[in-house]
Amino acid sequence: MNNHENIGLSTSLTLKNGMKIKNRLFKSAMSEQLGDNFHNPTPGLFRLYETWAKGGIGLSVTGNVMVDRTALGEPKNVVLDEKSHLSLFEQWAEAGKKNDTQLWIQLNHPGKQTPKFLTREPVAPSAIPLGSGLEKTFNTPRELTESEIQCIIEKFATSAGLARRAGFSGVQIHGAHGYLVSQFLSPHHNQRTDRWGGSLENRMRFVLEVYRAIRKTVSDDFPVGIKLNSADFMKSGFSQEESIEVVKMLQKEGIDLIEISGGTYESPSMTGYKIKESTLKREAYFLEYAEQVKKEIDLPFVVTGGFRSGSAMLAALKSGATDMIGLARPLAVEPEFPNRLMENNAYASDLKDPTTGFPSVDRMSMISILWYEFQLEKMAKGEYPDPDLNAWSVVFKTFGRVGLHAFLKRRA
Ligand SMILES: Cc1cc2nc3c(=O)[nH]c(=O)nc-3n(C[C@H](O)[C@H](O)[C@H](O)COP(=O)(O)O)c2cc1C
């Protein structure tokens, strides 16, 4: 019997800097798009995060907050920089930390994953356009200069320092899903010939420098985590073997927690796309990877993507492959899912993927993201989410609001 067998959903977890997380359930980032016109947090966000805190989640991570106001992933992203109104972030932190919840901010730079209508000239490690038909929606990026790279690293550190000042209990670097950090790691998207590209050692320099700059700013007692891809799931992308090497380096550097996901806009496996049937049966898409890495490293892990039932969550914790269970979509329709799981470990979400019944409309409207954004908006207004919300009504409402922009490739 290994010592993981005694771990349950309500077992607390203490990170190496002493932060105690009251249970093993982790709210994974979901971009809320609820910033105001100046990209500050709004009362709707305070309400939303208080709702999740009351629902019993142990560690809650915000949707991605941008470190650079000239590089947004979506129009209503929150930005955290020197121009931000810190008092609004303080209110957000206070609301989301109720009920003894830890609240971390996810910090992101989209790199080339910023749509044309937002950014005329995106930046990236190399001037390589997105593929898979996305080149219609996203402009070809310009290659970053050395001084621009240094400037972005500093921006991550500035945002992290401000997050600490505002009262958040930690930060998470968004190193997954094809955004800038993940673009640097990818041999396909990063074809630089300087010290930032080429070998894996060079490609991981950016994430390591971002981590070091953040650590220097926030000190050792403030948790810093990362969301990292197990792989990009695309030909010539960041591979599983490379991902394991990056995890080892981050462990050496002193990272506090690693959340595992996978995929990019071009190949969105983070929400189950092209995941093998046998894997889907175990619910968690990236558990096999975690099992493999955990044999070699000793670092708190969160596996995110696909978990729906208490039994699959318990099995994953007891196997030792993960220390926490990452949850996103189930919490968008059932914010008290954690409390229900604590009361009854056999509880399961009966969430069904939203569909219009027409795969091409689903794809074009990105219904699998849009539908959840509507649920977040409802909660932000103080309403209860609607699990039976009709997919067509979401499509029509969005079209009415923003026209064709609604149907540009969004996120995950
Ligand atoms: C509406 C929506 C927004 C998302 N935004 C983010 C984000 O800002 N940052 C991030 O790392 N992942 C984001 N994701 C991905 C989720 O964090 C998670 O990795 C994915 O949904 C799989 O977990 P699940 O099966 O529990 O939903 C988003 C997912 C959805 C549905």
Side-chain angles (χ1 to χ4, degrees), residues 68-366:
D68 181 347
R69 60 181 65 237
T70 67
L72 301 178
E74 296 151 306
K76 290 203 164 177
N77 283 149
V78 173
V79 175
L80 182 52
D81 65 7
E82 298 93 341
K83 291 189 182 146
S84 301
H85 288 196
L86 216 57
S87 63
L88 294 170
F89 284 84
E90 284 164 5
Q91 288 179 60
W92 189 11
E94 196 187 320
K97 287 200 305 187
K98 292 215 166 121
N99 195 21
D100 198 19
T101 309
Q102 302 292 355
L103 178 65
W104 293 15
I105 274 201
Q106 185 182 59
L107 299 177
N108 193 20
H109 186 297
K112 72 182 81 174
Q113 288 190 162
T114 169
K116 279 182 184 176
F117 74 91
L118 274 180
T119 314
R120 194 177 52 81
E121 189 180 55
V123 291
S126 302
I128 295 166
L130 287 169
S132 309
L134 298 176
E135 52 281 15
K136 294 190 202 95
T137 315
F138 297 84
N139 281 327
T140 300
R142 170 176 68 71
E143 180 176 303
L144 282 162
T145 64
E146 170 77 31
S147 64
E148 284 173 328
I149 293 174
Q150 296 295 351
C151 178
I152 294 174
I153 292 168
E154 279 316 307
K155 282 182 188 293
F156 270 97
T158 301
S159 303
L162 291 168
R164 180 171 190 160
R165 260 178 59 198
F168 287 85
S169 34
V171 291
Q172 183 190 56
I173 301 165
H174 195 346
H177 303 173
Y179 294 103
L180 187 64
V181 171
S182 149
Q183 286 160 32
F184 267 97
L185 290 169
S186 158
H188 170 74
H189 288 295
N190 179 355
Q191 297 189 9
R192 299 178 73 96
T193 51
D194 59 7
R195 67 194 185 106
W196 303 99
S199 64
L200 177 62
E201 190 189 347
N202 281 354
R203 280 181 280 124
M204 72 165 100
R205 192 179 309 281
F206 183 71
V207 66
L208 294 181
E209 291 297 330
V210 166
Y211 170 74
R212 287 171 188 147
I214 290 178
R215 179 57 82 204
K216 206 165 138 201
T217 307
V218 299
S219 315
D220 284 346
D221 59 342
F222 190 72
V224 181
I226 187 166
K227 187 166 184 174
L228 190 71
N229 273 358
S230 54
D232 287 352
F233 294 91
M234 58 183 284
K235 230 168 120 192
S236 72
F238 182 56
S239 69
Q240 188 157 317
E241 294 69 35
E242 291 182 327
S243 173
I244 295 173
E245 291 310 308
V246 175
V247 170
K248 285 184 189 161
M249 273 308 287
L250 287 166
Q251 179 186 28
K252 231 186 200 165
E253 294 278 336
I255 199 123
D256 294 291
L257 185 74
I258 298 199
E259 180 186 1
I260 297 300
S261 186
T264 68
Y265 278 15
E266 290 166 301
S267 179
S269 338
M270 66 294 263
T271 45
Y273 176 75
K274 284 195 176 164
I275 297 287
K276 283 188 299 191
E277 203 52 44
S278 57
T279 305
L280 289 177
K281 280 207 181 93
R282 291 179 72 194
E283 297 190 12
Y285 313 146
F286 310 111
L287 205 59
E288 275 171 37
Y289 164 92
E291 274 161 2
Q292 198 182 329
V293 186
K294 273 289 202 171
K295 286 184 200 141
E296 300 183 53
I297 66 140
D298 181 22
L299 188 64
F301 253 39
V302 185
V303 173
T304 297
F307 278 115
R308 299 295 178 263
S309 71
S311 54
M313 296 176 202
L314 272 176
L317 288 174
K318 288 182 188 301
S319 75
T322 190
D323 302 279
M324 293 194 81
I325 303 297
L327 299 168
R329 289 167 291 178
L331 294 171
V333 290
E334 194 178 357
E336 61 289 273
F337 189 38
N339 282 339
R340 291 187 179 147
L341 284 164
M342 296 299 156
E343 276 165 28
N344 171 12
N345 284 183
Y347 188 73
S349 160
D350 58 3
L351 182 64
K352 284 169 205 66
D353 279 339
T355 176
T356 60
F358 293 88
S360 56
V361 178
D362 287 352
R363 239 189 343 270
M364 191 180 73
S365 64
M366 288 293 293

